[in-house]
Amino acid sequence: MRRFLRSVAVLVAAAVLPPLTAAHPAGALTLPALSIPGDPRGAALPPFTGRAVAPRAVSVPAVPQHPFMAANGSSNLHGDAYQSDTYEGPGPTGRDLAVRSRLQGGLCGSVTFDSRGRIVTVCMTPGRAPRLMLLDPDDLGAVASLTLPGTAGTSPTEVSGGGYFYLDQLDRAVVPTKDGAIEVVAVRRDTLVPEARHDLKAAIGTGGIVSVLPDWSGRMWFVTDSGVVGVLDPATGTVSTHVLRGEGIANSIAVDESGGVFVVSDHALYRFDAPAGGRPVVTWRAAYDRGSRHKPGQLSRGSGTTPTLIGPASGPGGGYVAITDNADPRMKVLVMARGKAGPEKVCEQPVFAPGKGADENSLVAVGGDLIVENNYGYVVEDHALVKGMLGGRQVDTEPGLARVHVDYTARTCSLDWSDSGERVPSVVSKVSLATGLLYTFTHPTADELRSAGGKRATAMPDAWYLTALDVRTGKRVWSRLVGSGPLFNNHYAPVTLGRDGAAYVGVVGGLVRITDS
């Protein structure tokens, strides 16, 4: 089965990409993008439901700009150092939405933008070397391409080796690689130029590097799937580590201006600090309820969320941090003070139906409130992708989105709104503060497609929609069909909003762009 998948991926990649092992030369022409092929049965589905809306801006305090990262909204998978998953700029409003795609032969998950607004992304194809790509944001054509060291694994749930990278303030991609290193690659005009390489194998052993982010002094912090938390001084090459024994890490980290580095393992939430030139130290540890099982839809038995930071470090409690736990029968949103004094709990809020709740994506921070999604039931193994290529459907997931209101004075949580209709298998949903919309990637059931105007339920393909909800009420505003078939499955990739208001989603087949006409 895996040989079949690898053959499909190689054939698709070979059809799209030239056999490059280095960046295109300066002045090279942009290579046009081929579109991702879809299931022809999708032509029978309604392409759009709902209505276009005028922007209704949401006013919230701005997230501090990290001095060693690209502009907020451009720097990493979650948008900024606080991992807020919000954008100050606009997203699509639903006006004559146009969809464009790039067939890449692999998933282009983390989408960042250089100072000229071009896409910088890492695309990963099972069994092949990952590629760092520089793409035109309008037509998704390739400006430059660089093969990264190492080889992507064949597991459909592998997260290490480039999924979480960041773009720094100098237009340099800082990428954890599959061979246990951190690669620094500069975007120079129309080329990708390797600048530095930091080999971490001696410090991390056989573990894979999940994520890397800088602290406010410019040191690079990294975490591995085997529980290593480390800090690299890029000026000296000095590496120091702390091992969380018996614990694994499957998500990214968050950093704030006080020097705090926030890590969630499959057992606990941590705050780390490191004195200048010193080793990473556990400032505090807060165990959470990790439940009784590894739920379908999650990468590990534990929290599936990257820590989300709320409020400045100079505020009460040193600011706040939020995650979800993995409790049974109902998972909860947890909010804690994040200062050095310790993880004082603010409140917790159960969400979703008993026995049917799981979240493998970061919470979205809208001011002091938090939006959580339900990924329970999402399973993609080799047989699922093959089934999709043969005309079958992905397993349907449990529905659910909710906004949790936090009263930081009374130290209470409550449900502001809860949606029990939208099915969000695995996307990192995002909010545009300029439009007041929450953007997510939905996968309706066959019966839901039929009731929306499709043909016989037995003929319904997998269909993937960019769906916008009113962030104030949770009500669906519109939904646009992006594509049908397994190559349009986003498989844990986020929605990303560009400077021009376009939405980008990495999918199994490559990358899609959705924008107002």
Side-chain angles (χ1 to χ4, degrees):
M1 195 70 76
R2 288 189 173 178
R3 285 196 298 272
F4 170 81
L5 285 177
R6 195 176 300 115
S7 298
V8 170
V10 169
L11 286 172
V12 172
V16 179
L17 298 172
L20 297 176
T21 56
H24 295 335
L29 296 176
T30 300
L31 296 178
L34 298 179
S35 297
I36 299 172
D39 190 322
R41 295 175 298 171
L45 300 174
F48 181 83
T49 58
R51 59 185 177 84
V53 293
R56 293 182 61 208
V58 177
S59 179
V60 301
V63 172
Q65 174 60 53
H66 196 299
F68 293 96
M69 296 176 69
N72 285 351
S74 300
S75 62
N76 76 108
L77 188 150
H78 295 294
D80 50 53
Y82 274 27
Q83 311 293 47
S84 73
D85 291 303
T86 58
Y87 295 81
E88 293 185 356
T93 63
R95 187 183 69 251
D96 298 325
L97 290 169
V99 178
R100 183 187 294 272
S101 65
R102 173 183 177 80
L103 179 62
Q104 181 69 28
L107 189 146
C108 306
S110 296
V111 173
T112 66
F113 301 94
D114 73 359
S115 55
R116 293 170 57 182
R118 298 175 300 180
I119 294 171
V120 182
T121 182
V122 173
C123 301
M124 303 180 72
T125 302
R128 301 194 76 192
R131 283 179 179 267
L132 181 66
M133 305 291 297
L134 179 64
L135 303 177
D136 184 286
D138 295 321
D139 63 15
L140 304 182
V143 179
S145 172
L146 181 70
T147 300
L148 295 169
T151 302
T154 58
S155 170
T157 57
E158 186 174 359
V159 296
S160 64
Y164 290 113
F165 76 96
Y166 73 91
L167 196 69
D168 75 5
Q169 81 284 10
L170 301 176
D171 278 350
R172 297 182 301 185
V174 182
V175 187
T177 63
K178 284 292 186 181
D179 65 343
I182 293 176
E183 197 90 9
V184 181
V185 181
V187 180
R188 294 183 186 167
R189 297 186 179 179
D190 295 333
T191 62
L192 297 170
V193 182
E195 276 199 355
R197 174 178 167 83
H198 305 282
D199 192 332
L200 303 179
K201 287 193 291 294
I204 66 174
T206 59
I209 305 172
V210 173
S211 180
V212 57
L213 278 183
D215 64 19
W216 242 255
S217 65
R219 294 173 298 180
M220 298 174 184
W221 286 72
F222 59 90
V223 294
T224 74
D225 52 13
S226 58
V228 176
V229 178
V231 59
L232 162 71
D233 185 335
T236 64
T238 303
V239 179
S240 300
T241 61
H242 179 96
V243 180
L244 305 179
R245 301 199 180 280
E247 302 181 25
I249 299 170
N251 293 279
S252 190
I253 60 179
V255 295
D256 77 5
E257 65 274 28
S258 72
V261 177
F262 301 88
V263 178
V264 64
S265 76
D266 55 6
H267 285 71
L269 171 66
Y270 292 84
R271 174 181 172 130
F272 280 85
D273 288 272
R279 301 177 65 85
V281 175
V282 175
T283 306
W284 51 254
R285 179 183 190 271
Y288 60 81
D289 188 343
R290 63 193 297 258
S292 59
R293 58 195 172 113
H294 183 163
K295 297 175 183 175
Q298 293 191 277
L299 302 180
S300 66
R301 180 189 158 188
S303 173
T305 54
T306 292
T308 298
L309 307 187
I310 306 142
S314 59
Y320 303 95
V321 57
I323 61 170
T324 64
D325 64 14
N326 192 45
D328 289 315
R330 298 181 72 190
M331 60 174 280
K332 300 183 292 295
V333 172
L334 310 177
V335 184
M336 288 172 268
R338 70 172 192 265
K340 292 184 179 180
E344 181 182 356
K345 186 169 76 171
V346 175
C347 60
E348 60 183 41
Q349 176 63 48
V351 289
F352 308 133
K356 296 182 179 181
D359 189 0
E360 190 53 44
N361 287 300
S362 181
L363 299 165
V364 185
V366 182
D369 286 1
L370 298 155
I371 295 173
V372 58
E373 67 184 48
N374 191 4
N375 307 132
Y376 189 95
Y378 178 67
V379 179
V380 171
E381 300 296 344
D382 292 347
H383 63 82
L385 185 52
V386 172
K387 180 181 177 182
M389 289 178 174
L390 297 176
R393 285 180 49 87
Q394 298 278 346
V395 176
D396 295 325
T397 60
E398 292 296 324
L401 286 156
R403 176 168 174 165
V404 176
H405 174 65
V406 184
D407 186 326
Y408 293 89
T409 301
R411 308 185 83 77
T412 59
C413 289
S414 59
L415 280 180
D416 188 41
W417 54 256
S418 182
D419 174 277
S420 59
E422 304 294 351
R423 299 178 192 272
V424 184
S426 70
V427 82
V428 184
S429 301
K430 300 293 182 68
V431 164
S432 163
L433 300 174
T435 62
L437 296 177
L438 166 70
Y439 300 93
T440 190
F441 208 59
T442 56
H443 178 255
T445 67
D447 286 342
E448 289 166 346
L449 290 174
R450 180 177 58 182
S451 65
K455 292 185 178 181
R456 294 178 301 112
T458 55
M460 288 297 100
D462 273 322
W464 301 89
Y465 290 79
L466 181 71
T467 298
L469 284 68
D470 187 321
V471 75
R472 294 175 172 87
T473 65
K475 300 296 184 183
R476 183 198 288 190
V477 177
W478 50 258
S479 192
R480 174 62 161 94
L481 178 65
V482 173
S484 298
L487 295 182
F488 286 95
N489 181 352
N490 71 285
H491 191 53
Y492 295 109
V495 176
T496 302
L497 302 183
R499 296 181 185 177
D500 60 353
Y504 301 86
V505 183
V507 294
V508 170
L511 185 66
V512 296
R513 178 182 191 264
I514 309 99
T515 187
D516 292 328
S517 296

